[in-house]
Amino acid sequence: QVQLMETGGGSVQAGGSLKLSCTASSHQYRVGWFRQAPGQEREGVAVIQSSGNFAHYADFVEGRFTISREGFDTTVYLQMNALQPEDTAIYYCAASPIGGRLFDPLSYDYWGQGTQVTVSS
């Protein structure tokens, strides 16, 4: 069992930045950031491997977000820049012990409670 907790959400104006943190009880898993807007399906944002060496991003990130972790650190960050109103959502981090598709929520067994990000125009 892996416990995850997100912090760092909040409200910003368009063009602003936020940095989300995800603290896990173990460093042994691939960690992904997902988001879900009202009435929308949960979608993958960024994924980082357990070693911190490889990161993957959804196309819509377009270089604005950076996922990171220090080696096998248990904390994974998501730096979000140039935020837009369409980025408004609840952001979740999730851990995957068995691999699978990078941005498929079904590949992740453990989830945090989520943190709200609101971007106003």
Side-chain angles (χ1 to χ4, degrees):
Q1 191 76 10
V2 179
Q3 284 79 45
L4 300 161
M5 184 173 69
E6 306 94 338
T7 57
S11 298
V12 296
Q13 292 190 327
S17 299
L18 283 173
K19 186 173 184 177
L20 306 182
S21 299
C22 171
T23 302
S25 58
S26 171
H27 66 270
Q28 297 180 349
Y29 305 104
R30 181 177 77 191
V31 173
W33 282 98
F34 292 77
R35 69 186 188 183
Q36 189 166 18
Q40 302 292 320
E41 292 187 352
R42 192 167 297 189
E43 62 180 354
V45 176
V47 175
I48 193 164
Q49 302 297 340
S50 59
S51 65
N53 289 336
F54 299 99
H56 313 269
Y57 298 93
D59 290 342
F60 61 78
V61 167
E62 296 178 344
R64 301 180 296 132
F65 297 179
T66 302
I67 189 171
S68 63
R69 75 193 306 174
E70 293 295 328
F72 287 95
D73 196 357
T74 56
T75 301
V76 174
Y77 303 95
L78 183 68
Q79 176 68 47
M80 304 187 294
N81 299 325
L83 284 162
Q84 299 300 316
E86 52 266 34
D87 294 315
T88 295
I90 299 175
Y91 283 70
Y92 300 88
C93 67
S96 172
I98 60 172
R101 294 182 178 182
L102 288 172
F103 295 119
D104 185 351
L106 296 177
S107 297
Y108 293 78
D109 288 345
Y110 307 107
W111 292 83
Q113 82 288 351
T115 185
Q116 177 70 48
V117 171
T118 303
V119 185
S120 58
S121 58

